[in-house]
């Protein structure tokens, strides 16, 4: 086949990236070729990047049933066609006159993101106009911060979605090819997005020396967040230590990169250090890699060793040089085709399913079975060495314990542990390898991206490295413990690694460490309304009720001590209460009593979502319980973001149509219409009517959850279920706020008819009860008895029973708003860029701030000001909420609220001054 020629006049695309490179070399001026191809020094690192991939051996699998494989992935909340993006590279116009616009067309056609260089040869607006996939901006930070700020603002205005801070260029590396050629840019090649009259850009090395800020530290991430709401990734990370610092400083992602071998020569290949960094990151932020990727199987190898995606660099420029946009598209298509081939032949069904089980070592005895969240451990003299040409590059150069050739978390112990020797061994470790795992960026604390709960931040600003021997012993102990346990997190269901299931751990940690703070975090009822003896009265009242209804002593005993019916034994009382209090006419048979509303959500999702094409829409921000339940069940979630004044039903319809266009079925929409957790917003009556009309029009169910309406003052709007005439609403209820949380009693009203193939009809509630029989069997009889007694005491009218608590919560809300107004008059909050909404009830309100409201800020708030709150980002299924705070006032007395808001105000002022951000808050949180 290699001897064939293409038909006359037809362009025959190269069959490999190396062929693209050779054709490009013949088309380019030698000095330009050297500029894009060259590396620093003797180019040892440049060569090492490719050699590391060459050493990888994949393990083919047969008869796996995996099919073609799905290479798509999600990074920072955006779906990519494959785990590949185009790396940032300067001056695409050197390759082709269309420059970055041609690259954007190619990336868009492939469904892959493009990271646009600070030194792009085409303007951001031009690139965005033709882009069909996400654009990110690579940021060099200049000595003149105003220049960088303007660059970032222009990219944001053009619709760019993230910032990639290049952190490895305090000065440019010594690139001998450029020095020999005395390389200068052609006169017509200039950076289109930088001020033309403020610098001489003709010599990239000279401009880098004079223009770039050599004194950057980790505080630059906070500065970038102060000028833009876009997520920030840090590129140039090559050690686990720096990865931890990046997370501590608030980075949303990390790019493992040695600048394509163009900075420090003699450093390790990126693939060699990837597993160690992946272990340090442990899923807390996006993790990408660049350097040396030349084949689709290289992409799969990087995924197997812990990366979420790779960046493809020089080959895209080769494609541009060969055939413009068509050439760049050909390069990307070739890589994606090779990736699909590698996935099929290794039995890899999805990109997320790639792990180190794909990698083979000598005689397939490699101890490397690294997963994104853990690793196996090999100990003793029989541990297989990972040296030589067959070695998998699982160990990075920063290993200084007895782990030179073993994956993160895997340790080889004993006097016969194989040494890291031979021509294929990774380079010697540097001094960074003695820094402890707990080191964080000075002055920073771990940040939560709501999906990435951080490490403990104890002592984050005063790192004290342990003795090397102690560190090595600790690593050995951890490895031995891992071996004993025998489980790898990656072998468990993927939901256990979903950070949404761990969103509140950091709050719990902070609360435990600072017990004397004023906490606006828990959405709990005010405990002064609970009397410990009242529970006994409730149970006794229910038993008397059963006796008055004719139940024998034996029947009452059975009702109290035995399991009871799965659907619940107090459904009649709940039905009466719903009719009296809410105007919901639901027969007892349409109700299932659950262990809190959380079980009601789980049952409803399990019954309604039957296939992988079924999608759950959620109002965003939303209660984490619903997204957590969806994660457990593998239900895809599509957020519908609230606007500043709450949910717009038109946005729900747009989401429905968009999902259908993707070939998926929007099955249900989850919403808290009254005093929402977390935003505090309430749907207007007109919006409720529009939502019900939309549900009927698009065959959509509505999952309604309104736990705060019966403990809020004043007249309440009717529930969606009370307005439901076509059985479109599944009503999720809870007595946690209206009776007491400890009962853990909820319910679901599911009166939708269900027909089987024979035509027989039941209610959805009957199907939910079947599922419940395999989950909790029943809701505890004692809990049901206590709630039933409370319902009996008020004749089912919880609104009347809760008149005093509702008055308290209304007063707590009033005092909270009053104190915020007092500390931040309108002119002050306008100047500082601080604002808040004004809910009509419930337990929560939202404060908008001009700085990142992340875990690092929360820790400073607790330590320095004695006040705790909740980052709103916890409640966003996708990006959002980074500059918003949820305040809950329900648990506090008015005196504590006054004290707490004073502390909170002091924190807001200090944090605003610290970040240097004032003025209206930009972006989605404005």
């Amino acid at each position: 086949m290699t001897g064939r020629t293409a038909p006359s006049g037809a362009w025959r695309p190269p069959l490999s990236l190396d062929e693209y490179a050779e054709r490009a070399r013949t088309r380019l001026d030698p000095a330009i070729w050297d500029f894009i191809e060259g590396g620093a020094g003797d180019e040892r690192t440049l060569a090492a990047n490719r050699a590391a991939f060459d050493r990888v051996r994949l393990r083919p699998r047969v008869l796996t049933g995996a099919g073609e494989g799905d290479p798509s992935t999600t990074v920072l909340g955006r779906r990519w066609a494959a785990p590949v993006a185009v790396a940032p590279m300067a001056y695409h116009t050197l390759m082709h006159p269309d420059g970055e616009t041609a690259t954007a067309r190619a990336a868009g056609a492939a469904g892959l993101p493009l990271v646009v260089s600070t030194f792009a040869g085409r303007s951001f607006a031009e690139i965005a106009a033709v882009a069909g996939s996400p654009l990110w901006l690579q940021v060099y930070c200049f000595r003149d911060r105003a220049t960088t700020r303007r660059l970032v603002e222009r990219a944001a205005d053009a619709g760019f979605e993230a910032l990639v801070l290049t952190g490895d260029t305090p000065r440019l590396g010594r690139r001998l090819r450029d020095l020999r050629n005395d390389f200068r840019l052609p006169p017509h090649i200039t950076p289109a997005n930088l001020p033309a009259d403020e610098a001489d850009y003709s010599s990239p090395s000279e401009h880098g020396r004079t223009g770039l800020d050599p004194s950057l530290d980790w505080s630059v991430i906070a500065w970038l967040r102060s000028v833009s709401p876009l997520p920030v990734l840090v590129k140039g990370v090559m050690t686990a230590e720096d990865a931890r610092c990046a997370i501590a400083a608030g980075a949303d992602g990390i790019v493992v990169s040695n600048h394509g071998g163009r900075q420090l020569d003699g450093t390790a290949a990126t693939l060699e250090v990837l597993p160690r960094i992946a272990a340090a990151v442990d899923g807390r932020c996006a993790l990408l890699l660049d350097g040396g990727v030349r084949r689709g199987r290289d992409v799969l190898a990087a995924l197997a060793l812990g990366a979420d995606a790779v960046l493809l660099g020089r080959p895209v420029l080769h494609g541009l040089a060969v055939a413009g946009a068509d050439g760049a598209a050909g390069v990307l298509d070739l890589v994606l085709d090779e990736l699909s081939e590698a996935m099929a032949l290794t039995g890899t069904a999805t990109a997320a399913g790639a792990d180190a089980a794909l990698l083979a070592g000598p005689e397939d005895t490699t101890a490397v079975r690294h997963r994104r969240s853990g690793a196996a451990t090999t100990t003793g003299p029989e541990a297989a060495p990972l040296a030589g040409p067959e070695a998998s590059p699982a160990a990075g150069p920063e290993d200084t314990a007895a782990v030179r050739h073993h994956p993160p978390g895997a340790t080889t112990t004993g006097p016969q542990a194989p040494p890291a020797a031979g021509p294929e061994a990774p380079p010697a470790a540097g001094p960074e390898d003695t820094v402890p795992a707990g080191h964080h960026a000075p002055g920073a604390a771990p940040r939560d991206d709501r999906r990435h709960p951080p490490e403990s931040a104890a002592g984050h600003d005063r790192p004290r490295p342990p003795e090397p021997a102690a560190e090595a012993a600790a690593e050995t102990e951890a490895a031995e413990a891992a071996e004993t346990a025998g489980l790898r997190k990656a072998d468990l269901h993927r939901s256990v690694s979903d950070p949404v299931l761990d969103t509140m751990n950091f709050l719990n940690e902070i609360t435990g460490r600072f017990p004397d703070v004023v906490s606006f975090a828990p959405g709990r009822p005010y405990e002064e309304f609970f009397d410990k003896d009242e529970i006994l009265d409730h149970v006794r009242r229910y038993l008397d009720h059963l006796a008055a209804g004719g139940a024998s002593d034996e029947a009452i005993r059975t009702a109290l001590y035995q399991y009871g019916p799965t659907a619940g034994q107090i459904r009649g009382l709940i039905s009466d209460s719903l009719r009296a209090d809410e105007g919901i006419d639901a027969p007892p048979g349409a109700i299932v009593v659950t262990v809190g509303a959380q079980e009601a959500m789980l049952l409803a999702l399990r019954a309604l979502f039957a296939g992988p094409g079924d999608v759950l829409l959620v109002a965003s921000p939303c209660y984490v319980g619903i997204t957590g339940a969806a994660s457990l069940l593998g239900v895809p979630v599509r957020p519908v973001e609230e606007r500043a004044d709450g949910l717009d039903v038109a946005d729900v319809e747009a989401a429905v149509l968009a999902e259908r266009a993707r070939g998926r079925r929007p099955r249900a929409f989850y919403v808290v219409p009254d005093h929402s957790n977390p935003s505090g917003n309430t749907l207007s009556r007109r919006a409720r009517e529009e939502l019900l009309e939309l549900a009927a029009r698009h065959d959509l169910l509505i999952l309604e959850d309104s736990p705060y309406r019966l403990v809020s003052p004043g007249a309440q709007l009717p529930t969606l279920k009370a307005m439901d005439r076509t059985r479109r609403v599944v009503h999720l209820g809870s007595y946690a706020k209206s009776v007491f949380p400890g009962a853990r009693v909820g319910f679901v009203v599911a009166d939708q008819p269900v027909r089987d193939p024979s035509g027989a009809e039941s209610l959805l509630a009957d199907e939910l009860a079947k599922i419940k029989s395999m989950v909790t069997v029943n809701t505890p009889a004692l809990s049901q008895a206590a709630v039933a007694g409370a319902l009996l005491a008020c004749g089912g009218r919880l609104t009347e029973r809760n008149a005093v608590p509702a008055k308290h919560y209304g007063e707590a809300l009033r005092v909270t708003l009053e104190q915020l107004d007092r500390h931040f008059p309108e002119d002050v909050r306008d100047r500082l860029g601080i604002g808040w909404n004004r809910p009509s009830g419930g337990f929560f309100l939202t404060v908008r701030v001009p700085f990142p409201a992340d875990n690092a800020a929360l820790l400073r708030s607790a330590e320095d000001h004695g006040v705790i709150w909740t980052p709103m980002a916890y409640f966003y299924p996708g990006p959002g909420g980074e500059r918003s705070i949820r305040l809950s006032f329900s648990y506090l007395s008015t005196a504590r609220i006054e004290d707490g808001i004073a502390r909170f105000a002091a924190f807001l002022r200090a944090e605003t001054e610290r970040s240097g951000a004032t003025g209206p808050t930009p972006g989605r949180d404005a």
Side-chain angles (χ1 to χ4, degrees), residues 418-438:
E424 303 296 337
E432 70 272 16
D433 302 329
T434 59
V435 178

Side-chain angles (χ1 to χ4, degrees), residues 590-729:
I591 297 171
V592 178
V593 185
T594 59
V595 181
Q598 192 65 38
E599 188 189 26
M601 295 175 194
L602 192 73
L603 299 179
L605 293 181
R606 180 65 294 158
L608 296 175
F609 290 79
D614 290 342
V615 181
L616 173 67
L617 307 182
V618 298
S620 178
C622 73
Y623 169 57
V624 296
I626 189 70
T627 49
S631 177
L632 289 174
L633 298 174
V635 173
V637 172
R638 165 70 180 256
V640 180
E641 193 164 319
E642 291 185 351
R643 303 191 181 192
D645 57 350
L647 182 73
D648 190 320
V649 176
D651 293 336
V652 182
E653 185 161 35
V656 169
L657 296 174
E659 287 302 314
R660 284 185 175 163
R662 297 180 61 191
R664 305 204 298 185
R665 178 176 67 159
R667 191 74 171 100
F669 174 60
Y670 172 85
V671 63
V672 181
D674 301 286
H675 324 301
S676 171
N677 177 10
S679 69
N681 291 330
T682 293
L683 273 182
S684 68
R685 178 159 192 144
R686 179 59 189 150
R688 293 169 197 244
E689 293 169 348
E690 291 175 349
L691 188 57
L692 290 168
E693 292 167 1
L694 179 148
R697 188 164 62 250
H698 290 291
D699 191 23
L700 185 72
L701 291 171
I702 299 172
L703 302 181
E704 177 186 31
D705 183 12
S706 283
Y708 305 100
R709 53 186 285 112
L710 297 183
V711 287
S712 294
Q716 301 294 318
L717 292 169
T719 64
L720 290 166
K721 190 60 185 174
M723 301 169 66
D724 182 22
R725 299 293 175 262
T726 57
R727 299 188 183 183
R728 289 285 165 191
V729 179

Side-chain angles (χ1 to χ4, degrees), residues 129-144:
V130 300
S133 56
L135 297 175
W136 292 0
L137 172 66
Q138 174 267 334
V139 179
Y140 281 114
C141 207
F142 296 101
R143 295 173 190 262
D144 178 8

Side-chain angles (χ1 to χ4, degrees), residues 402-557:
V403 294
R404 287 266 186 233
H405 279 287
H406 295 273
T411 306
T412 300
T413 60
Q416 299 175 32
E424 303 296 337
E432 70 272 16
D433 302 329
T434 59
V435 178
H439 177 71
H440 296 292
R447 173 184 179 273
D448 173 82
D449 187 40
R450 87 203 146 275
R451 291 169 302 224
H452 307 302
E455 305 172 339
S456 169
H460 70 282
D461 56 347
R462 293 176 297 277
R464 297 187 61 184
E467 293 299 320
E471 184 184 12
E475 289 187 20
T476 301
E477 182 180 351
E480 290 172 349
E483 182 184 45
T484 302
L487 289 177
R488 296 174 296 194
K489 198 169 185 178
D491 289 333
L492 306 180
H493 187 265
R494 63 181 179 274
S495 64
V496 301
S497 297
D498 188 338
V500 74
L501 303 186
D502 203 24
T503 52
M504 297 304 171
N505 280 0
F506 191 65
L507 273 180
N508 294 335
E509 177 190 336
I510 292 290
T511 302
R513 287 171 55 193
F514 303 100
D516 297 327
V517 300
V518 177
S519 179
F520 289 100
R524 299 166 61 181
Y526 188 52
E527 287 196 354
E528 294 299 318
F529 295 126
F530 299 142
D531 182 341
K532 66 180 187 301
D533 295 326
E534 193 176 21
I535 294 178
L536 301 178
D537 294 338
H538 290 334
V539 174
R540 172 53 61 188
R541 187 177 296 108
Y542 176 59
L543 299 184
D544 292 344
H545 167 75
L546 293 178
S552 65
D553 287 347
E554 290 78 10
I556 294 173
R557 181 179 62 197

Side-chain angles (χ1 to χ4, degrees), residues 308-379:
D308 296 316
V310 304
L311 302 181
L312 184 67
R314 291 178 176 93
V316 177
L317 297 183
H318 300 158
L320 276 180
V322 170
D326 290 341
V331 165
L332 296 176
D333 289 345
L334 185 57
V335 171
L336 298 194
D337 187 59
E338 290 178 348
L339 172 61
S340 295
E341 176 189 62
M343 291 178 66
L345 296 180
T346 57
T348 306
T350 64
D355 59 35
L358 293 171
L359 305 179
E363 302 179 55
D364 200 24
T365 59
T366 301
V368 181
R369 290 295 178 263
H370 170 75
R371 304 274 182 151
R372 285 191 177 89
S373 298
T377 305
T378 302
T379 60

Side-chain angles (χ1 to χ4, degrees), residues 173-229:
R174 193 164 182 266
R175 301 164 190 176
L176 300 184
R177 296 199 205 189
D178 293 346
L179 293 174
R180 293 187 185 105
N181 294 327
D182 190 23
F183 180 73
R184 294 290 187 274
L185 293 172
H188 67 285
I189 302 295
T190 59
N193 301 287
L194 294 175
D197 56 350
E198 293 185 11
D200 178 8
Y201 303 106
S202 62
S203 171
S205 60
E206 180 61 21
H207 176 257
R209 186 183 65 80
T210 60
L212 301 184
D213 185 351
S215 61
L216 291 182
D217 59 24
W218 292 106
S219 67
V220 70
I221 296 176
W223 179 80
L224 282 172
R225 290 188 172 281
S226 75
V227 302
S228 171

Side-chain angles (χ1 to χ4, degrees), residues 99-126:
E100 288 79 8
T101 58
T103 312
R105 288 191 181 94
L112 306 178
L114 165 63
V115 188
V116 179
S117 171
T118 288
F119 295 100
R122 300 297 294 267
S123 73
F124 295 154
E126 290 176 307

